C-alpha cells in the first residue's frame, strides 16, 4: 500500500511539473497562435497526463483530459483555429486538472460540475463533422487519435521496423509494465520479440523490483514510424528506445537479397567485422546461420546478441546526467555542512591557541576542503529565478484581463540563481507587489492613451547579481505614486505630524506601514493597505531590503536586495561588554576606531562626522540596553542598507566569521533588532543583528 | 489524564522553584542540564533570560516561576535546566525550564493524583494538571503547554511592560 502511495506521489509530482509546462506553453500559444510546435507540445503534455493518470487510477483526470486532447488534435490538423475563448478554456481546464490532481480520497478539492461545464464548452468548439469522434469516451481507444495522425492510409504498405527497447531498471517503479508495450506492438502486426536476459544478476544480487530485461523487436506492420514511437511515449525519457525503419521487406517480389545475419548485426551496431570473423572461426552455429540467408532465427540470434550485449555493456559508460532527489534530503545535507563549518571554526580556534602543533597542517587542509564542500552543497540549492518569474506570466495575464488592462510582462535576468528556500519564500511577496503594479501602477488603456502613453503597459521583472546579493526589481511604466496622498493617509493615521519634513524616500517608506494605501478605491485586488507591511516583514526576515522609488507619470520601481543564501552568512563578530553579536557582513561598508573621528550629540540625535559627511549612528549598547561603561575607544561599522547610511557603534570588532543561521523560536522571535542566532566556534550562542529592524526601532525609540 | 486507569504507575521528575516542589512526567523530559553559559537576548522580558546551545541547536530558556507569579530564580548560576518538548497544534517547541534544583524521580499510581484545587495552592490552578501525593509530601504537576501558551506569555509580557 505504501508503495502504491509512493507511486501516486511521484505521479502527482510529475504531473504538477507537466502542468507548469502546460501553462507556459499555453501562454506561448496565446502570443503566437501559429506556432505549431507549441500546439504539438501542449498535445503531448496532455497526452502524458492522460496516459499516466489512467495508469495510476486517476480515471476522472484521464476522462477529462481526453476531451481536451481531442480538441487539441483538431487544432493540430487545422479544423479549429486558436481563439482567445479557446485559450481561456484551456487555462480553465488546466486549473481544473490541477484541482483534481490535488484531491485525495479523503479530501475533494474540485467541483465535478466544473468538469462537465468545461467538457460542454469544449464540445461547442467542435465542428459538427467531428462530433462523432468526440463522443467516444471509451478509454480503450485512447491511442486512436494518435494512430489517426497524418498517416496516409491508402498508400500504406507493410514495413518492417527494428525496435530495440531497453527500459530503465526503474521502469516498474513508475508503474509501467513493459509487457504492456510489447503487447501493444504485437497488435500492430507480425512481431518477433527477443528477450535479452544477460543483464540479470545472480539471484543473491537480484533486486526483484528492477527490470533487467531488454528486448529486440522485429515488427512487420502497416503503420508509420511515428505510430510506433507513440507506443513508447511514456517510457522514452528513461529508456533506451531505438526504432529503425528497415528496407522494403517484400523480398519475394524483388530481386534484391535480404541482408545476411552478419550484416544485420553489423547494421545494428551490435558487433564489428572482427567480432563476426572471430565468431565465424569459433562458432559453427553462427557460421551456419550466415550461410543460411533469409528469415531471422530467433534463438540463434539471441545467443549471439546476448554475447555481444555483454561485450557492449562493458564499454558503455553510465549516462546519468541528472538525478532527482527530495529537497528535504538536500536541506539536511546543508544543515550538516553548516554543523561541520561550525566544528571547523572551533578546531581552528584550538589550532590558534596551540600554534605549530602537528595538527596545524591537517587542520588547514580540512579548512580548505570544508570550504569547498560548503560551496558545492550551497550551490546545489541554487536555482534560477526564471522558473518563478515565468509563473507570474499567468498572474499578469489573468489579472489584466479581469481589470480590463493591457499589460506585457517582460522578464529579465531569469537565469540569475538564488537559494531555493529564498525563492520559495519570495513568491508570495512578489505576487503581492506585481498585483499592486497591475492594480495601481498601470491604468486602463484609455487613460494611458490620454496621458500620452502606449495603450499597453509594461511591467519589467528583473534579477541581477550585485556582489554577494541579488537585486530583484519590479518596474512599471504607470502613473507613479502620488506622494501627497501617501502623506495625507499617514497624517490621518497619526504616523507623521504636519511639521515633519520628510525626504522623498521616507515618504515612500510610509507605504510599508500598516494601513497606508495609495489606491483611491479599494478593489478586490488591493488597496486595503494590508500587505505591504507584511511584504516588508517577509523580505526583512529573509535578510533582504525593499525600497520604492517613483516618478509621477513615469512609473514606479520596487527594488529588492536579497542575500544569495539563507543557510550560511558571512558575519562580522562584534562585542559589547563581553556579549557577542553578529552583523551581516554583506552590508558592511567600512569599520574604524572611533577615537579618530569626532562623535557629537546633536539635538539628541546620534550623529558622527565621517569623511566630511554627517552619519547617523546607533550605539548597540544603548539600543540593547546593556549595562556598563562606555570604553575609551569604541569601534564603528558603517552600513549601507536601502537608502540609509548608518553607523553601528560597538566596543570591539573581532573579525569575520562564517555562521549558520538558527532561527529563534516563538518565545524569543519577538526580540527587537535580532533576526536569529548562531553557534560560535567556542560553543556559545551569538545573536545576529537585524539591521533594517534595528534602524526602524532606533527611529521609534528616538521619537 | 482522565483516560489513565487508577492502577497505572506514572513516573515524575520533581524539582523546586523557591521552596515549592513541582513535577513533570518523565516522559516529557528530554534531559536535565546544569546551568551552562546562557546568551541573554536584549530587551526581552525578565522571564526570558536567554538562549543556550544544546548540541548545535539553539534552545530557549524560560523562567517559569515568573509566569506562575512567583519570585523568579534567585541564583541563576546554581540553577538547572529541565529540557522539555512542547507539542502544540502547529509547532513543536523545545524549551529549557530554569529551576532552582532538581529533586527526584518518583513513581506513583494514577489514583494518588487529585485534580488541582481551586484554592489553597500557590499557583493559578489553570497551570496545574493535578496534585500528586507521596507519603506526607505533595507536589504540583505542571501543565507546561498552558504555561507557555501564547495568551499566557502575552499576559506576562503586558504585566511586565507596565
Amino acid at each position: 500500500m505504501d508503495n502504491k502511495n509512493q507511486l501516486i506521489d511521484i505521479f502527482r509530482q510529475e504531473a504538477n511539473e507537466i502542468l507548469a509546462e502546460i501553462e507556459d506553453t499555453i501562454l506561448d500559444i496565446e502570443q503566437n497562435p501559429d506556432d505549431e510546435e507549441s500546439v504539438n507540445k501542449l498535445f503531448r503534455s496532455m497526452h502524458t497526463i492522460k496516459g499516466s493518470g489512467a495508469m495510476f487510477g486517476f480515471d476522472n483526470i484521464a476522462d477529462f483530459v481526453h476531451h481536451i486532447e481531442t480538441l487539441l488534435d483538431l487544432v493540430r490538423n487545422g479544423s479549429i483555429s486558436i481563439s482567445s475563448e479557446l485559450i481561456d478554456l484551456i487555462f480553465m481546464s488546466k486549473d481544473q486538472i490541477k484541482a483534481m490532481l490535488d484531491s485525495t480520497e479523503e479530501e475533494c478539492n474540485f467541483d465535478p460540475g466544473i468538469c462537465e461545464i468545461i467538457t460542454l464548452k469544449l464540445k461547442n468548439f467542435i465542428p459538427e463533422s467531428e462530433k462523432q469522434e468526440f463522443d467516444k469516451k471509451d478509454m480503450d481507444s485512447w491511442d486512436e487519435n494518435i494512430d489517426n495522425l497524418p498517416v496516409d492510409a491508402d498508400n500504406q504498405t507493410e514495413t518492417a521496423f527494428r525496435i530495440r527497447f531497453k527500459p530503465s531498471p526503474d521502469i516498474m517503479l513508475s508503474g509501467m509494465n513493459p509487457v504492456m508495450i510489447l503487447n501493444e506492438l504485437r497488435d500492430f502486426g507480425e512481431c518477433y520479440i527477443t528477450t535479452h536476459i544477460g543483464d540479470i544478476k545472480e539471484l543473491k544480487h537480484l533486486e526483484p523490483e528492477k527490470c533487467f530485461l531488454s528486448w529486440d523487436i522485429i515488427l512487420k506492420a502497416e503503420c508509420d514510424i511515428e505510430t510506433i514511437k507513440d507506443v513508447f511515449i511514456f517510457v522514452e525519457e528513461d529508456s533506451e528506445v531505438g526504432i529503425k525503419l528497415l528496407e522494403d521487406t517484400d523480398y519475394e517480389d524483388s530481386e534484391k537479397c535480404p541482408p545476411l545475419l552478419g550484416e544485420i548485426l553489423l547494421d545494428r551496431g551490435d558487433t564489428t567485422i572482427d567480432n563476426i570473423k572471430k565468431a565465424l572461426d569459433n562458432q559453427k552455429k553462427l557460421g551456419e546461420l550466415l550461410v543460411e540467408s533469409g528469415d531471422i532465427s530467433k534463438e540463434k540470434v539471441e545467443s549471439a546478441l546476448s554475447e555481444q550485449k555483454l561485450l557492449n555493456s562493458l564499454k558503455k559508460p553510465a549516462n546519468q546526467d541528472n538525478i532527482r532527489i527530495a529537497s528535504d534530503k538536500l536541506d539536511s545535507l546543508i544543515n550538516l555542512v553548516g554543523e561541520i563549518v561550525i566544528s571547523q571554526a572551533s578546531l581552528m580556534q584550538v589550532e590558534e591557541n596551540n600554534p605549530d602543533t602537528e595538527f596545524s597542517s591537517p587542520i588547514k587542509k580540512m579548512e580548505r576542503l570544508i570550504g569547498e564542500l560548503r560551496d558545492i552543497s550551497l550551490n546545489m540549492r541554487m536555482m534560477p529565478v526564471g522558473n518563478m518569474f515565468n509563473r507570474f506570466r499567468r498572474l499578469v495575464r489573468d489579472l489584466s484581463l479581469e481589470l480590463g488592462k493591457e499589460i506585457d510582462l517582460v522578464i529579465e535576468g531569469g537565469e540569475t540563481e538564488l537559494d531555493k528556500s529564498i525563492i520559495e519564500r519570495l513568491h508570495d511577496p512578489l505576487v503581492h507587489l506585481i498585483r499592486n503594479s497591475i492594480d495601481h501602477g498601470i491604468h486602463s488603456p484609455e487613460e494611458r492613451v490620454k496621458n500620452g502613453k502606449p495603450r499597453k503597459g509594461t511591467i519589467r521583472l528583473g534579477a541581477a547579481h550585485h556582489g554577494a546579493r541579488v537585486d530583484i526589481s519590479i518596474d512599471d511604466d504607470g502613473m507613479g505614486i502620488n506622494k501627497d496622498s501617501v502623506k495625507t493617509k499617514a497624517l490621518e493615521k497619526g504616523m507623521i505630524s504636519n511639521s515633519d519634513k520628510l525626504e522623498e524616500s521616507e515618504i515612500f517608506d510610509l507605504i510599508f506601514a500598516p494601513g497606508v494605501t495609495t489606491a483611491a478605491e479599494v478593489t478586490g485586488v488591493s488597496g486595503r493597505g494590508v500587505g505591504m507591511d507584511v511584504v516588508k516583514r517577509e523580505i526583512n526576515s529573509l535578510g533582504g531590503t525593499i525600497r520604492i522609488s517613483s516618478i509621477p507619470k513615469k512609473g514606479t520601481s520596487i527594488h529588492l536586495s536579497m542575500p544569495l543564501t539563507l543557510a550560511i552568512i558571512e558575519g562580522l563578530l562584534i562585542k559589547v561588554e563581553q556579549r557577542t553579536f553578529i552583523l551581516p557582513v554583506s552590508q558592511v561598508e567600512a569599520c574604524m576606531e572611533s577615537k579618530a573621528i569626532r562623535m557629537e550629540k546633536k539635538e539628541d540625535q546620534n550623529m558622527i562626522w565621517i569623511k566630511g559627511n554627517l552619519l547617523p549612528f546607533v550605539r548597540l549598547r544603548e539600543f540593547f540596553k546593556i549595562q556598563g561603561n562606555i570604553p575609551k575607544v569604541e569601534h564603528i561599522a558603517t552600513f549601507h542598507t536601502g537608502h540609509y547610511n548608518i553607523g553601528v557603534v560597538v566596543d570591539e570588532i573581532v573579525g569575520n566569521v562564517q555562521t549558520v543561521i538558527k532561527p529563534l523560536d516563538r518565545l524569543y522571535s519577538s526580540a527587537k533588532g535580532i533576526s536569529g542566532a548562531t553557534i560560535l566556534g567556542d560553543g556559545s550562542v551569538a545573536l545576529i543583528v537585524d539591521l533594517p529592524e534595528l534602524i526602524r526601532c532606533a527611529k521609534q525609540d528616538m521619537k | 489524564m482522565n483516560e489513565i486507569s487508577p492502577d497505572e504507575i506514572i513516573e515524575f521528575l520533581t524539582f523546586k522553584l523557591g521552596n515549592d516542589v513541582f513535577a513533570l512526567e518523565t516522559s516529557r523530559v528530554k534531559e536535565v542540564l546544569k546551568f551552562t553559559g546562557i546568551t541573554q537576548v536584549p530587551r526581552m522580558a525578565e522571564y526570558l533570560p536567554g538562549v543556550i546551545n544544546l548540541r548545535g541547536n539553539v534552545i530557549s530558556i524560560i523562567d517559569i516561576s515568573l509566569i506562575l507569579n512567583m519570585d523568579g530564580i534567585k541564583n541563576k548560576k546554581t540553577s538547572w535546566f529541565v529540557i522539555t518538548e512542547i507539542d502544540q497544534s502547529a509547532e513543536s517547541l523545545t524549551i529549557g525550564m530554569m529551576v532552582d534544583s532538581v529533586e527526584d524521580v518518583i513513581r506513583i499510581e494514577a489514583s494518588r493524583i487529585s485534580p488541582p484545587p481551586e484554592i489553597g495552592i500557590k499557583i493559578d490552578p489553570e497551570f496545574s494538571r493535578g496534585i500528586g501525593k507521596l507519603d506526607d509530601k505533595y507536589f504540583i504537576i505542571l501543565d507546561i503547554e498552558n504555561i507557555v501558551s501564547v495568551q499566557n506569555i502575552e499576559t506576562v509580557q503586558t504585566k511586565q511592560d507596565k
Side-chain angles (χ1 to χ4, degrees):
Chain A
M1 193 59 196
D2 271 340
N3 200 18
K4 192 188 161 204
N5 283 336
Q6 204 183 340
L7 287 179
I8 288 177
D9 274 349
I10 293 172
F11 165 69
R12 280 217 174 90
Q13 215 174 357
E14 286 182 354
N16 272 318
E17 280 166 26
I18 295 171
L19 284 175
E21 238 178 74
I22 285 179
E23 190 167 291
D24 275 350
T25 317
I26 307 171
L27 288 161
D28 286 339
I29 295 174
E30 190 177 31
Q31 276 172 3
N32 190 0
D34 299 326
D35 184 1
E36 278 179 33
E37 190 31 53
S38 294
V39 177
N40 283 336
K41 194 173 158 198
L42 184 61
F43 181 80
R44 279 198 299 269
S45 304
M46 288 289 185
H47 189 71
T48 309
I49 289 191
K50 184 178 82 168
S52 40
M55 210 176 306
F56 290 103
F58 288 80
D59 288 340
N60 52 357
I61 293 184
D63 275 331
F64 179 62
V65 176
H66 178 71
H67 297 305
I68 307 163
E69 204 188 71
T70 314
L71 193 74
L72 286 173
D73 198 28
L74 293 171
V75 174
R76 272 199 337 178
N77 65 29
S79 310
I80 305 175
S81 56
I82 304 276
S83 62
S84 64
E85 292 85 34
L86 185 65
I87 296 274
D88 285 342
L89 201 54
I90 300 173
F91 268 130
M92 267 172 80
S93 314
K94 184 241 140 189
D95 293 343
Q96 181 70 3
I97 298 169
K98 171 97 179 106
M100 289 159 97
L101 198 63
D102 291 343
S103 296
T104 53
E105 275 170 31
E106 299 86 46
E107 205 180 340
C108 184
N109 293 327
F110 72 98
D111 179 359
I114 295 177
C115 278
E116 279 172 33
I117 294 168
I118 294 176
T119 312
L120 271 175
K121 283 191 179 170
L122 285 168
K123 275 188 187 174
N124 287 338
F125 271 96
I126 303 206
E128 275 309 311
S129 53
E130 312 275 358
K131 277 264 158 90
Q132 208 185 351
E133 162 81 16
F134 193 81
D135 289 334
K136 260 190 215 161
K137 269 196 163 177
D138 182 8
M139 284 306 293
D140 288 341
S141 67
W142 65 271
D143 264 307
E144 207 143 314
N145 37 15
I146 285 195
D147 293 349
N148 293 342
L149 283 180
V151 174
D152 205 344
D154 292 338
N155 293 336
Q156 197 68 45
T157 50
E158 281 205 328
T159 354
F161 298 93
R162 177 202 299 148
I163 304 157
R164 186 155 287 187
F165 175 36
K166 184 166 195 258
S168 87
D170 292 325
I171 186 167
M172 320 271 219
L173 294 182
S174 65
M176 280 299 306
N177 183 353
V179 174
M180 303 277 277
I181 291 176
L182 298 178
N183 283 340
E184 218 169 304
L185 289 173
R186 279 197 187 100
D187 292 339
F188 285 124
E190 213 175 317
C191 193
Y192 296 99
I193 300 176
T194 309
T195 308
H196 298 294
I197 53 169
D199 288 348
I200 296 181
K201 299 191 175 118
E202 277 177 60
L203 195 54
K204 59 178 172 181
H205 298 303
L206 191 70
E207 289 169 72
E209 285 178 350
K210 298 213 166 175
C211 173
F212 295 100
L213 299 173
S214 60
W215 292 272
D216 273 357
I217 302 129
I218 306 295
L219 174 69
K220 207 156 96 180
E222 281 182 18
C223 61
D224 69 345
I225 194 157
E226 292 301 318
T227 317
I228 298 188
K229 276 188 183 161
D230 281 337
V231 174
F232 293 94
I233 193 161
F234 298 121
V235 296
E236 62 190 357
E237 256 177 52
D238 303 317
S239 310
E240 285 176 43
V241 179
I243 303 170
K244 199 181 172 207
L245 187 69
L246 298 179
E247 281 168 315
D248 193 3
T249 46
D250 219 352
Y251 291 114
E252 282 147 12
D253 298 342
S254 89
E255 288 176 0
K256 237 192 322 179
C257 262
L260 300 174
L261 179 56
E263 285 168 10
I264 294 174
L265 290 172
L266 266 179
D267 187 32
R268 291 177 178 205
D270 277 337
T271 182
T272 62
I273 292 189
D274 287 347
N275 281 338
I276 291 182
K277 278 184 182 156
K278 225 187 271 171
L280 285 171
D281 288 339
N282 302 336
Q283 244 180 321
K284 278 282 173 269
K285 273 183 188 168
L286 184 62
E288 282 163 16
L289 275 172
L290 286 166
V291 174
E292 280 175 31
S293 62
D295 274 327
I296 303 138
S297 170
K298 221 164 75 174
E299 296 84 3
K300 289 171 187 171
V301 179
E302 198 175 275
S303 71
L305 284 176
S306 339
E307 187 189 334
Q308 265 131 13
K309 260 260 142 70
L310 271 173
L311 286 174
N312 281 347
S313 66
L314 289 176
K315 280 184 272 173
K316 250 183 212 157
N319 57 337
Q320 198 110 56
D321 293 319
N322 285 303
I323 55 163
R324 185 192 281 258
I325 60 161
S327 61
D328 55 348
K329 281 188 191 165
L330 203 54
D331 290 347
S332 32
L333 176 72
I334 304 265
N335 282 341
L336 267 178
V337 169
E339 300 298 335
I340 294 178
V341 169
I342 292 174
S343 314
Q344 171 67 17
S346 60
L347 212 53
M348 290 297 287
Q349 210 159 41
V350 172
E351 198 261 343
E352 262 165 42
N353 296 340
N354 312 281
D356 301 322
T357 62
E358 53 188 317
F359 296 114
S360 296
S361 124
I363 288 176
K364 290 260 157 61
K365 196 173 170 191
M366 281 282 282
E367 187 191 16
R368 191 173 49 77
L369 288 174
I370 288 171
E372 267 175 54
L373 180 66
R374 183 202 61 217
D375 291 347
I376 291 172
S377 45
L378 282 182
N379 207 10
M380 287 198 291
R381 260 213 323 212
M382 299 300 248
M383 289 194 346
V385 290
N387 294 347
M388 173 177 59
F389 282 6
N390 281 330
R391 275 192 273 159
F392 297 136
R393 289 168 67 191
R394 173 81 186 274
L395 173 77
V396 172
R397 175 197 180 271
D398 286 359
L399 203 58
S400 45
L401 271 182
E402 188 186 317
L403 300 171
K405 298 179 179 179
E406 293 174 24
I407 300 173
D408 260 342
L409 179 70
V410 179
I411 292 170
E412 287 163 353
E415 71 287 347
T416 314
E417 287 190 329
L418 204 56
D419 191 291
K420 183 173 160 291
S421 50
I422 297 186
I423 291 185
E424 278 163 4
R425 286 176 59 187
L426 264 181
H427 180 262
D428 290 351
L430 283 181
V431 166
H432 194 90
L433 294 172
I434 292 171
R435 290 174 75 110
N436 269 345
S437 290
I438 298 170
D439 201 25
H440 310 319
I442 294 188
H443 289 185
S444 65
E446 295 74 32
E447 231 169 302
R448 287 177 60 86
V449 171
K450 240 189 268 169
N451 282 290
K453 287 173 184 285
R455 278 180 70 83
K456 217 171 192 186
T458 307
I459 294 178
R460 258 170 223 286
L461 187 58
H465 282 288
H466 188 97
R469 300 177 78 80
V470 167
D471 286 352
I472 293 172
S473 58
I474 302 158
D475 303 302
D476 66 56
D477 64 346
M479 294 307 288
I481 295 171
N482 185 341
K483 271 180 272 181
D484 294 331
S485 79
V486 176
K487 253 195 204 161
T488 321
K489 276 269 159 58
L491 273 172
E492 277 171 29
K493 302 260 169 196
M495 286 185 297
I496 51 170
S497 63
N498 265 322
S499 56
D500 282 350
K501 290 229 160 50
L502 294 173
E503 281 177 34
E504 194 179 82
S505 59
E506 287 177 301
I507 296 172
F508 289 134
D509 267 359
L510 290 170
I511 294 170
F512 294 115
V516 176
T517 178
T518 56
E521 57 189 286
V522 174
T523 68
V525 179
S526 50
R528 291 188 186 277
V530 182
M532 283 304 258
D533 57 323
V534 180
V535 167
K536 185 174 169 132
R537 207 181 312 139
E538 181 71 8
I539 300 287
N540 286 162
S541 77
L542 288 169
T545 57
I546 183 166
R547 184 160 59 91
I548 294 183
S549 58
S550 180
I551 302 169
K553 306 214 164 173
K554 286 271 188 230
T556 304
S557 297
I558 298 163
H559 297 280
L560 310 183
S561 167
M562 305 305 299
L564 276 178
T565 174
L566 269 189
I568 297 179
I569 62 157
E570 291 267 336
L572 196 62
L573 197 68
I574 56 112
K575 278 195 171 171
V576 179
E577 286 290 322
Q578 297 314 306
R579 288 165 71 169
T580 6
F581 295 92
I582 307 268
L583 295 171
V585 89
S586 66
Q587 291 165 333
V588 175
E589 279 202 328
C591 300
M592 57 200 90
E593 279 186 9
S594 71
K595 64 172 180 190
I597 27 186
R598 261 173 63 210
M599 259 192 218
E600 46 190 79
K601 275 224 162 194
K602 203 177 147 194
E603 290 167 21
D604 272 349
Q605 281 188 328
N606 288 329
M607 299 290 262
I608 187 170
W609 283 102
I610 287 179
K611 289 176 196 155
N613 292 318
L614 207 53
L615 182 78
F617 70 83
V618 177
R619 185 173 270 123
L620 218 51
R621 166 192 298 274
E622 285 162 0
F623 180 78
F624 284 151
K625 304 197 165 99
I626 298 171
Q627 310 276 317
N629 300 319
I630 297 174
K632 282 211 175 86
V633 179
E634 283 181 293
H635 288 79
I636 182 163
T638 62
F639 293 87
H640 183 79
T641 83
H643 29 241
Y644 295 104
N645 287 311
I646 189 162
V648 177
V649 175
V650 301
D651 288 6
E652 194 187 338
I653 293 175
V654 182
N656 271 18
V657 281
Q658 281 206 335
T659 58
V660 180
I661 301 177
K662 310 256 176 187
L664 291 174
D665 62 37
R666 198 194 73 214
L667 296 175
Y668 284 89
S669 58
S670 63
K672 291 214 164 53
I674 301 289
S675 64
T678 186
I679 293 163
L680 297 176
D682 64 0
S684 65
V685 179
L687 301 169
I688 300 168
V689 177
D690 182 353
L691 269 179
E693 178 73 7
L694 186 81
I695 295 164
R696 211 178 57 79
C697 293
K699 271 178 163 177
Q700 263 177 8
D701 284 5
M702 262 175 240
K703 281 172 189 167
Chain B
M1 216 161 281
N2 303 336
E3 299 140 32
I4 296 168
S5 79
D7 306 330
E8 194 172 329
I9 306 278
I10 309 174
E11 206 176 62
F12 289 97
L13 177 81
T14 58
F15 47 85
K16 268 188 172 171
L17 296 172
N19 290 320
D20 300 283
V21 182
F22 294 88
L24 203 62
E25 291 94 320
T26 47
S27 57
R28 309 282 314 275
V29 177
K30 286 181 87 177
E31 60 185 291
V32 177
L33 314 172
K34 256 190 140 147
F35 178 89
T36 61
I38 188 165
T39 299
Q40 297 174 44
V41 180
R43 299 174 75 146
M44 292 310 279
E46 207 188 335
Y47 71 93
L48 292 172
V51 292
I52 59 160
N53 166 19
L54 183 66
R55 287 185 300 277
N57 289 312
V58 176
I59 304 289
S60 298
I61 299 295
I62 178 165
D63 183 349
I64 53 163
S65 65
L66 286 166
I67 300 179
L68 299 176
N69 231 343
M70 296 165 65
D71 283 341
I73 306 294
K74 291 253 160 48
N75 192 349
K76 293 196 170 65
K77 290 259 153 70
T78 60
S79 68
W80 292 72
F81 300 142
V82 178
I83 311 292
T84 170
E85 200 163 322
I86 293 164
D87 276 320
Q88 272 165 340
S89 50
E91 51 178 352
S92 146
L93 196 67
T94 302
I95 60 155
M97 293 188 291
M98 201 184 242
V99 301
D100 278 313
S101 64
V102 176
E103 297 288 294
D104 206 351
V105 173
I106 319 178
R107 295 160 56 87
I108 59 166
E109 296 98 41
S111 58
R112 296 169 71 178
I113 299 167
S114 49
E118 286 295 318
I119 46 166
I121 56 169
K122 205 160 187 174
I123 63 165
D124 190 331
E126 149 183 46
F127 293 137
S128 167
R129 290 171 56 161
I131 308 282
K133 283 182 228 73
L134 186 70
D135 306 331
D136 54 346
K137 289 177 200 152
Y138 77 96
F139 53 86
I140 300 166
I141 301 160
L142 291 177
D143 184 346
I144 189 74
E145 265 84 13
N146 207 8
I147 292 173
V148 298
S149 73
V150 182
Q151 303 89 303
N152 288 319
I153 291 280
E154 275 167 3
T155 328
V156 179
Q157 189 94 50
T158 41
K159 248 188 237 164
Q160 296 203 344
D161 285 350
K162 278 170 195 166

